[in-house]
Structures are given as structure tokens and as C-alpha cells.
Amino acid sequence: NRVYCLYRVSDRGQVEKNDIPMQRIACQTFARSAAGRFCEKGVSGYKLTMQQRDAVMEIREDAIAGKFDIL
């Protein structure tokens, strides 16, 4: 299976703690070779629409194009 990983944090506290590496390790343990990797740092999924989130829009386009099997 082709796997995409989206690493994200939504608030400054998580950005300052740099939670992304912990997410990356957990995801890579699950999927040794991810086909795509995306990061959202300090982006609120509550305050912004899907269309305002670049990583989500890119993942959406790739999903429509059939570029991965698992997100």
C-alpha cells in the first residue's frame, strides 16, 4: 500500500515543544516508507476551512488522483 502521512499541531505550545518529530516516529513505525509527508505547524483545523489549509488541499488533490491508499 502507498501511504501518506500528515503531521500537524494546532497551537503554539505544541509548535514550541516540537511535537512533529514524535508524530513522525510513530507514523514511520507504522509505515516504513511513506509515499508523501506533509506538515501543518500552528494551523487550527477549527478556525480554518479545508480550502484555507494548503497541506489538506494538496492531500485532497492527490487522493482524487489516486496517488495513495492510506492516509
Side-chain angles (χ1 to χ4, degrees):
N1 290 327
R2 298 165 298 157
V3 177
Y4 269 26
C5 294
L6 169 63
Y7 315 116
R8 66 174 308 279
V9 296
S10 58
D11 65 51
R12 291 207 183 273
Q14 291 172 305
V15 171
E16 290 169 6
K17 292 178 192 172
N18 202 14
D19 284 350
I20 296 291
M22 291 185 297
Q23 293 177 33
R24 185 178 298 119
I25 291 167
C27 288
Q28 288 177 349
T29 298
F30 174 74
R32 292 287 178 217
S33 60
R37 294 181 180 97
F38 302 87
C39 291
E40 283 190 330
K41 290 186 175 184
V43 177
S44 171
Y46 176 75
K47 294 179 182 178
L48 299 177
T49 67
M50 181 177 78
Q51 291 79 11
Q52 294 173 305
R53 298 169 62 194
D54 294 337
V56 172
M57 291 306 296
E58 188 173 347
I59 291 168
R60 181 179 182 268
E61 290 170 13
D62 288 354
I64 291 168
K67 292 185 177 181
F68 63 91
D69 302 306
I70 300 169
L71 170 63

